[in-house]
Every structure is written in structure tokens, then in C-alpha cells.
Amino acid sequence: MKLFTALLVAAFSLLSAGAEARVITDAAGRKVEIPDKVSRVLAAGPPASVLIYVLAPDKLTGWVRQPSDAEKAFLLPSVRDLPVFGQLTGKGGTANMESVLAAKPDIIIDVGTVNPTYSSLADKVQAQTGIPYVLIDGSFARSAETLRQTGEILGVTERAAKLANYASTAIGGLNARLAAIPQSDRPRVYYGRGPEGLETGLAGSINLEILEAAGAANVAAAAGKGGLTQVSLEQILSWKPDTILAASGKFAASVKTDPLWAGLDAVKNGRVFVTPSLPFGWFDSPPGINRLIGIAWLERLFYPKVFTGDLKAEVRDFFKLFYQVDLTEDQLATLLKGSGVSPQ
């Protein structure tokens, strides 16, 4: 297997020979030599898939997982049936070196948390494949910078500037209005992942980052700092959330009908909502650039008296600008079903 991989690396290197190169410094401080012109990009994980798609869909070599039919309806036809190569990062890592090489990418991009673990993985994959591997900070507050930096790497600076300006305006407007909202008027939220809703993010989790950005309190922060974790119903009851966000419609339905949850103010007051998820999660799954439209939803959900703009128009504009698709009235209704906010 090592010999086979080595031969593939050698073959790929020959194909790449002669290409002009430039050296960049990625988010981990790694010096990476990349081609001057990047035409094919492999996403290491889901957030990178979204980032590459919104900036340069023609450069995306494939998906880390197959989009569902429901998701495909909100994507450009040209990318709906791209091959699936699996993902290199995270607990769901499924890609192998042969599949990476088969994609024939000019570079590999990973977006999200940047730490020694991801840096080590990048070095390992780059050494094994000979393909430049770039790490990009995917924190929500740096969304505009993420778009601009990646746009520079991909050679689409003009488009990146448009998307970055949107991100700067959205986050800046949110922060300006939040400054006038007292803590007493901000919700205490539990976010549940999976059909049982017992997976959530601790304080500092990138999966709950957008909740903090929206000025709400993550009740699971009481369990400490970290990433995703399993919690018990008893813990959730003790945290007393006034709002529950469910990644799964099944979880939301069970919370509303199961007597074990009935004592929570969130249930009593009908504040159990499903997070919009098409074509990518608006809150999480993945925690990427896709969360920018989630802010528009959370603003109206948490502070309807302060954020009163036309959500329908904002969703249409975002999907046109970022995903390059025009939404129908029926699609708008589908996107926000169960989310607690009407597109009207």
C-alpha cells in the first residue's frame, strides 16, 4: 500500500511539475507552497465544502458526503452530483489517501478550529500526498476575513469581497443592536443535536458559537468548556432553559409531547424550535459560513421587537448571493418550517 501511494504521489507530482507557485502562511502559522493558479480544491471537511462552494463552485472537486435530494434543490445544478470523497477531519473521517489523490486537487483546504491536532493532520496528509494542505480559521466573528483570505487563495477576490462585505454588515449590525439589549432580555438556550437531543456543545464549542454571537446564553456552559458532549435529561432540567433549539424535528416533537420535559418554561411557553438546515445548517452542521443566514433567523426569533426587517427578502438575497439560487415561495416556507419565524 505504501508503494502504491508513493507511486501515485510521484505521478501527481509529475503532472504538477512546472506550475508556478507561491508561499502563503495559513492560520496555523504553517508555510505552505501553493500553485499560483488554483483550479481544483478538495475540502477536508464540511465547513470547507461550504466555503469553497460559495466562493468558487467550479473549483470544488467533490463533497465530503452526498447531498440529499432535499439539499440538492437549494444548490446549483452543476455541483449537485459531484463525486463524494469523504472527509479527512473530525470523528467522521472517511477519506483515504487514494481517494484524495484520485480527486487530483491542486490544494486541500480545511476550515474551522485551528489547533495542534489539525495542524499535525495537515502536515501528515501533505507529506503523504504531496498536495498543499491549507488551514483556515473558521470562527464566526472572522467570517469576513475567512472569505477574503480564501478568495485570495482561489483567485476569486472580487466575489470574495462581495461576500465578505455581506458578512461584515451582518455581524456589525447584529453587534450594534445587541449592545442596547440588556442581559435580562436575552434568552437562556439549550441546543440539542440528534433524534434524542442529548448531544450539545459546551462553553467554547464552535458548534454553539453562533448562539453566543446572537447574545444568548448557552445553558450547557454550566457543564464546563470543550466541544460536543453527551448530557442527561436531568442536567437539562436543572439548567432551566427558556428556549430549546432542536437540530432534529424528531427531537423537537418529542420535547413538546413527553411529560418529562413538560416542566420547563421553554415547553410551557411554546419555545421549542427546529433549526433550519437547508441546504446547510443555519445554526450548525456544519459550523461554517452558512451560519451567516442563521443570524438573520436568530435575530427575529430572540428579539422580534428589535430586529424587524423583512426576513423573506434577507433570505432571498442571501441564497442568491451565496448559493446562487433563486428561491420560490414554497421553498421559503420549507426553509423556515418549524423554526418559529415566519418568512412573511
Side-chain angles (χ1 to χ4, degrees):
M1 184 63 71
K2 290 183 178 179
L3 177 60
F4 177 64
T5 300
L7 289 172
L8 284 174
V9 172
F12 183 83
S13 298
L14 286 172
L15 288 172
S16 302
E20 293 186 13
R22 52 189 161 137
V23 176
I24 64 168
T25 302
D26 73 3
R30 300 165 58 252
K31 299 292 185 181
V32 184
E33 185 176 286
I34 67 172
D36 187 57
K37 181 179 180 181
V38 174
S39 300
R40 292 179 61 79
V41 188
L42 180 74
S49 289
V50 180
L51 182 61
I52 298 162
Y53 168 61
V54 301
L55 283 170
D58 58 311
K59 299 178 189 290
L60 183 64
T61 60
W63 299 105
V64 299
R65 68 165 182 81
Q66 183 69 49
S68 68
D69 289 342
E71 291 164 343
K72 288 180 180 180
F74 295 93
L75 298 172
L76 282 171
S78 61
V79 304
R80 292 174 184 172
D81 298 310
L82 288 174
V84 177
F85 295 108
Q87 68 183 72
L88 288 165
T89 61
K91 62 182 181 181
T94 55
N96 56 46
M97 295 307 103
E98 282 71 30
S99 65
V100 169
L101 288 162
K104 298 181 180 179
D106 296 316
I107 62 171
I108 298 169
I109 288 181
D110 189 24
V111 184
T113 301
V114 178
N115 60 31
T117 298
Y118 290 102
S119 182
S120 177
L121 174 65
D123 288 340
K124 178 182 177 181
V125 172
Q126 185 169 298
Q128 289 179 328
T129 64
I131 303 169
Y133 193 126
V134 180
L135 293 172
I136 296 172
D137 186 339
S139 57
F140 183 74
R142 294 170 62 90
S143 293
E145 186 175 349
T146 294
L147 287 160
R148 289 194 180 95
Q149 289 178 339
T150 311
E152 178 68 27
I153 291 171
L154 300 183
V156 290
T157 54
E158 184 175 344
R159 174 159 176 78
K162 291 179 181 179
L163 303 190
N165 288 341
Y166 179 101
S168 295
T169 300
I171 295 175
L174 170 68
N175 292 338
R177 294 193 185 187
L178 277 181
I181 300 175
Q183 290 294 327
S184 58
D185 291 343
R186 301 187 184 192
R188 289 174 45 79
V189 182
Y190 174 73
Y191 170 60
R193 292 165 52 108
E196 306 302 322
L198 297 181
E199 182 181 56
T200 192
L202 299 172
S205 168
I206 193 172
N207 301 87
L208 274 290
E209 191 179 30
I210 190 176
L211 187 64
E212 181 180 345
N218 171 20
V219 296
K225 296 187 66 175
L228 294 174
T229 188
Q230 292 289 321
V231 298
S232 67
L233 174 58
E234 289 73 22
Q235 284 177 294
I236 300 170
L237 295 177
S238 72
W239 295 332
K240 300 179 180 179
D242 58 49
T243 302
I244 293 175
L245 300 181
S248 162
K250 180 179 178 182
F251 170 51
S254 67
V255 169
K256 295 175 182 178
T257 57
D258 189 333
L260 294 176
W261 294 83
L264 289 175
D265 286 345
V267 179
K268 293 177 182 177
N269 298 327
R271 292 193 58 78
V272 179
F273 309 109
V274 180
T275 57
S277 61
L278 295 172
F280 312 106
W282 292 25
F283 185 94
D284 178 26
S285 300
I289 290 299
N290 40 294
R291 296 175 294 174
L292 285 169
I293 190 57
I295 280 295
W297 163 62
L298 288 176
E299 289 171 344
R300 274 73 166 190
L301 184 69
F302 292 160
Y303 319 107
K305 294 181 180 179
V306 176
F307 294 91
T308 58
D310 186 347
L311 180 60
K312 177 188 286 189
E314 191 160 351
V315 173
R316 281 190 187 279
D317 290 346
F318 178 88
F319 271 65
K320 180 63 174 178
L321 178 60
F322 279 74
Y323 300 151
Q324 301 184 61
V325 294
D326 293 303
L327 296 176
T328 66
E329 290 295 319
D330 286 345
Q331 285 180 317
L332 276 168
T334 296
L335 288 170
L336 292 169
K337 183 178 180 181
S339 71
V341 180
S342 169
Q344 302 300 325

